[in-house]
Amino acid sequence: MAKRLFEDLVTRCQQEGIIEGSNVAIDSAALRAYEKKQPKRKSEQTGNANWGAKIDSFGNKITWFGYKIHLAVDTKSELPIALEVTPAHVNDGEMAPGLIEKTASRTSTRFFILDAGYDQMKVYEAARNVKAQAIIPLNLRGEKEPPAGMTSNGTPCCSMGYAMTYWGVDGDMHKFRCPHATGKVDCPLGMAACSSSNYGMVVKVNAKDDLRRYSIPHRDTKRWKELYNERTSVERCNSRLKTYLTADAAHVRGIQKVTTHQYLNAIVLLASALAVSHHSKRAAA
């Protein structure tokens, strides 16, 4: 019942222009359990609260016994569009494809924005399957060297080893130019080493060749960084659920009751946004 009401309110917020849904940020947050703590192996058998661990923004490892709330949030309104609750040990990347699919069924999302913890091929594929782009920083820990003649972010290198200059996109094709021709580097051989053209050497890369390494917009461009900065919207949504509501203070046991509790918190956010919108419209009338 709570889930149905939540979904109805999301639709209502969309109809009234509160939720846009073109850019959506996804992240998870820890929820401490009201249950008595148990060993990890025993907890995994119940499907309820379990032990979780993550690295915080300061690089510290934190652990907790309980659950995770996984949220998909509209970056413009900072309101939730979809949510899931899992035991704390469930990997974030396992939940992202489902949240992407749920969100896409309700909105026309162009970009899904996630942190480096979601840097998994299945997340990029899930976004592409709904005709959207995943904006995720590459997690280079443990990664092998990038393909020969390529930087880690998918930029081709010229014959002298310099990263080429990004020169825009045409459909799925990224265009890169000689860095000497564009004034980015002072190559000792000039442009002649790579091309006889005054325009300099040009390399085109199909973004579909590697959904993870290539992105539209291209990684490290101003537009890509602007989109990634919108990820903080989901952090603020999580903070409101915990600070002003009772997301992390649920006095109920079991994942079904905890999930209902989280839906009720999300319902309060959506209903409050609708109330503020109606009040503003009446005041302006």
Side-chain angles (χ1 to χ4, degrees), residues 24-32 52-57 62 64 66-73 82-97 99 113-118 120 228 231-242 247-248 262:
V24 171
I26 293 176
D27 201 2
S28 70
L31 301 173
R32 293 188 296 272
K54 66 187 302 183
I55 305 298
D56 66 15
S57 56
I62 58 172
W64 75 99
Y67 303 91
K68 277 184 183 177
I69 181 171
H70 306 263
L71 279 175
V73 171
L83 70 85
E84 293 285 350
V85 175
T86 66
H89 70 288
V90 174
N91 183 271
D92 291 349
E94 296 296 323
M95 302 305 298
L99 286 172
I113 307 158
L114 310 92
D115 66 27
Y118 293 88
Q120 301 177 28
Y228 186 68
R231 194 193 65 83
T232 55
S233 59
V234 68
E235 295 178 346
R236 288 190 287 272
C237 182
N238 269 319
S239 178
R240 292 186 188 106
L241 289 169
K242 289 186 174 185
D248 204 22
Q262 301 312 318

Side-chain angles (χ1 to χ4, degrees), residues 207-233:
K208 291 182 177 180
D209 290 345
D210 187 339
L211 296 182
R212 176 176 175 267
R213 197 170 301 278
Y214 305 134
S215 170
I216 300 176
H218 185 54
R219 293 182 179 280
D220 290 344
T221 59
K222 181 180 178 181
R223 177 57 175 157
W224 191 96
K225 292 174 181 177
E226 288 174 346
L227 286 167
Y228 186 68
N229 286 340
E230 294 185 22
R231 194 193 65 83
T232 55
S233 59

Side-chain angles (χ1 to χ4, degrees), residues 224-277:
W224 191 96
K225 292 174 181 177
E226 288 174 346
L227 286 167
Y228 186 68
N229 286 340
E230 294 185 22
R231 194 193 65 83
T232 55
S233 59
V234 68
E235 295 178 346
R236 288 190 287 272
C237 182
N238 269 319
S239 178
R240 292 186 188 106
L241 289 169
K242 289 186 174 185
T243 304
Y244 303 112
L245 298 170
T246 59
D248 204 22
H251 290 181
V252 292
R253 297 180 175 88
I255 193 166
Q256 291 185 341
K257 291 181 180 179
V258 172
T259 299
T260 298
H261 188 88
Q262 301 312 318
Y263 271 118
L264 292 173
N265 280 300
I267 285 168
V268 172
L269 286 183
L270 294 167
S272 298
L274 281 167
V276 170
S277 176

Side-chain angles (χ1 to χ4, degrees), residues 71-275:
L71 279 175
V73 171
D74 172 44
T75 64
K76 182 180 178 181
S77 64
E78 300 183 355
L79 291 171
I81 297 175
L83 70 85
E84 293 285 350
V85 175
T86 66
H89 70 288
V90 174
N91 183 271
D92 291 349
E94 296 296 323
M95 302 305 298
L99 286 172
I100 288 172
E101 186 177 346
K102 280 186 178 181
T103 301
S105 69
R106 300 169 187 164
T107 64
S108 298
T109 305
R110 295 179 58 205
F111 298 102
F112 287 96
I113 307 158
L114 310 92
D115 66 27
Y118 293 88
D119 181 26
Q120 301 177 28
M121 184 57 74
K122 58 187 162 188
V123 181
Y124 296 98
E125 290 173 344
R128 177 54 67 95
N129 288 341
V130 297
K131 299 181 180 180
Q133 172 69 57
I135 303 295
I136 309 172
L138 290 173
N139 186 348
L140 300 178
R141 289 181 297 179
E143 185 178 64
K144 297 179 181 179
E145 290 294 319
M150 189 78 64
T151 67
S152 60
N153 73 351
T155 298
C157 297
C158 69
S159 59
M160 291 295 290
Y162 296 114
M164 299 185 71
T165 303
Y166 181 62
W167 212 251
V169 63
D170 182 11
D172 290 318
M173 301 299 293
H174 287 305
K175 180 180 178 181
F176 300 87
R177 284 185 65 193
C178 167
H180 182 87
T182 59
K184 295 295 184 181
V185 300
D186 185 12
C187 179
L189 299 181
M191 294 184 291
C194 303
S195 173
S196 59
S197 168
N198 292 332
Y199 193 74
M201 185 176 72
V202 173
V203 172
K204 293 185 178 181
V205 176
N206 192 331
K208 291 182 177 180
D209 290 345
D210 187 339
L211 296 182
R212 176 176 175 267
R213 197 170 301 278
Y214 305 134
S215 170
I216 300 176
H218 185 54
R219 293 182 179 280
D220 290 344
T221 59
K222 181 180 178 181
R223 177 57 175 157
W224 191 96
K225 292 174 181 177
E226 288 174 346
L227 286 167
Y228 186 68
N229 286 340
E230 294 185 22
R231 194 193 65 83
T232 55
S233 59
V234 68
E235 295 178 346
R236 288 190 287 272
C237 182
N238 269 319
S239 178
R240 292 186 188 106
L241 289 169
K242 289 186 174 185
T243 304
Y244 303 112
L245 298 170
T246 59
D248 204 22
H251 290 181
V252 292
R253 297 180 175 88
I255 193 166
Q256 291 185 341
K257 291 181 180 179
V258 172
T259 299
T260 298
H261 188 88
Q262 301 312 318
Y263 271 118
L264 292 173
N265 280 300
I267 285 168
V268 172
L269 286 183
L270 294 167
S272 298
L274 281 167

